[in-house]
Amino acid sequence: MASQVRFISFPRTKPPPAFVPQVVSAFHNHEEQISTVALDKGLESDDVLQALSASLQALGFQVEASKAAAAKLARPVFFGEGGKPTLRYEIDGYHPEWRCGLEVEAGRGILGNAIFRDLFQAMLMVDVDHLCLAIPLTYKYKSRGKPKSSRYYEKAVAVADALYGHSRVAIPYGLTVIGY
């Protein structure tokens, strides 16, 4: 069966960075576990990140190990006295050599507006020149007992198109939206 994992990079006037296919390959390699198309119900974002963790770490990513405070991964935003970070934002993964952040979203991605938080926070994090934003291809849920689905990937791409294509906004980092 052909892979259903998709990706697109922004700005669309430039090719994706050379490392993007390696990141996308981690999603291809675990597609059977994480596919929001094949599974009856998609995984939570933490479960998707856990499934990808070893592959991402093999690429050189630092990855959030769990939701425990000591296991979270944070990027600095501001530095204070003595050069100590005074404000940090949490991120799911970070590759220091590529200066690439990674956020993995699931149900809250669109309906909970999590992608907007991710896009905004990446603008402010120190040393994030590219963000990989992983989003379900489709989000399956029930409404009044009836199965429903929402095309999350297309909605995320539409938001990115608007941000990167509009003359009023200058996003200071590249973006790759990965649909899984």
Side-chain angles (χ1 to χ4, degrees):
M1 179 173 143
S3 175
Q4 294 191 36
V5 172
R6 299 168 62 187
F7 77 95
I8 186 169
S9 293
F10 299 87
R12 294 192 310 146
T13 55
K14 296 181 180 178
F19 59 79
V20 166
Q22 294 175 66
V23 178
V24 173
S25 74
F27 288 82
H28 284 290
N29 293 341
H30 297 280
E31 186 171 7
E32 192 172 298
Q33 293 171 268
I34 65 171
S35 173
T36 57
V37 175
L39 297 174
D40 290 335
K41 183 181 182 321
L43 301 174
E44 305 247 337
S45 61
D46 291 343
D47 296 328
V48 174
L49 185 61
Q50 181 65 36
L52 299 169
S53 185
S55 293
L56 293 169
Q57 288 172 338
L59 292 174
F61 274 90
Q62 301 162 353
V63 179
E64 178 183 90
S66 75
K67 290 296 179 192
K72 290 187 177 196
L73 185 61
R75 296 291 315 143
V77 173
F78 287 124
F79 295 92
E81 197 167 317
K84 294 183 179 164
T86 57
L87 178 62
R88 298 175 186 212
Y89 287 148
E90 293 173 6
I91 194 164
D92 291 332
Y94 180 71
H95 195 294
E97 182 181 327
W98 297 339
R99 297 168 62 110
C100 178
L102 172 72
E103 285 289 354
V104 177
E105 295 300 343
R108 297 180 316 125
I110 298 293
L111 294 177
N113 294 319
I115 67 163
F116 294 102
R117 179 204 63 228
D118 297 339
L119 293 168
F120 179 77
Q121 288 182 346
M123 281 191 245
L124 305 175
M125 289 183 209
V126 173
D127 295 334
V128 173
D129 294 338
H130 196 86
L131 177 67
C132 289
L133 175 61
I135 195 92
L137 286 169
T138 184
Y139 176 61
K140 299 173 186 173
Y141 60 99
K142 289 190 177 180
S143 177
R144 297 183 183 163
K146 295 182 181 179
K148 301 274 185 182
S149 67
S150 182
R151 298 167 64 118
Y152 269 25
Y153 176 78
E154 283 85 357
K155 290 178 181 184
V157 168
V159 167
D161 260 334
L163 286 173
Y164 282 87
H166 205 287
S167 61
R168 292 184 61 156
V169 179
I171 306 295
Y173 59 86
L175 172 69
T176 297
V177 179
I178 303 169
Y180 65 90

